[in-house]
Amino acid sequence: MFNDKKLPDDMGNHHIERFLNNLAVNKQVSGATQNQALCAIMLLYRYIVKREIKGLSYSFTKREKALPTVLTHEETLTIINKLSGKYRLIASILEILKRI
């Protein structure tokens, strides 16, 4: 539908790239969804259309590294040691209460 109801046989790399860019920019879908769409298109062309897609100037999206949800003991101590003023005092009191 996106490419004016053209058949996949009649479309080239430009049409595929335009569709994938539309997903990323206009629809703002996640990287995983973009990768899934690219895989589906590659599968369609390889097994249904019987044509390999070559020279596509579009690649799989890289996943962002997730931030850790739990800090190690050393990381926590590093953060606490950089605190000052009332925040350092609160952290010290919490550390004392933890030992009780």
Side-chain angles (χ1 to χ4, degrees), residues 1-6 11 18-19:
M1 298 300 267
F2 178 80
N3 286 307
D4 303 321
K5 298 183 182 180
K6 288 183 183 173
M11 291 189 284
R18 204 178 78 164
F19 172 71

Side-chain angles (χ1 to χ4, degrees), residues 66-77:
L67 292 175
T69 54
V70 178
L71 298 175
T72 65
H73 182 71
E74 291 77 24
E75 291 170 329
T76 306
L77 288 176

Side-chain angles (χ1 to χ4, degrees), residues 22-70:
N22 178 64
L23 287 179
V25 176
N26 298 332
K27 301 284 185 181
Q28 296 182 340
V29 299
S30 71
T33 302
Q34 293 171 45
N35 288 342
Q36 187 175 22
L38 181 55
C39 283
I41 290 169
M42 291 171 74
L43 184 111
L44 169 76
Y45 275 87
R46 181 176 293 147
Y47 295 106
I48 307 299
V49 179
K50 306 278 190 217
R51 186 176 89 205
E52 291 291 327
I53 301 172
K54 295 181 181 173
L56 192 65
S57 60
Y58 196 92
S59 60
F60 288 102
T61 346
K62 304 266 190 283
R63 291 186 72 163
E64 291 183 19
K65 288 189 176 184
L67 292 175
T69 54
V70 178

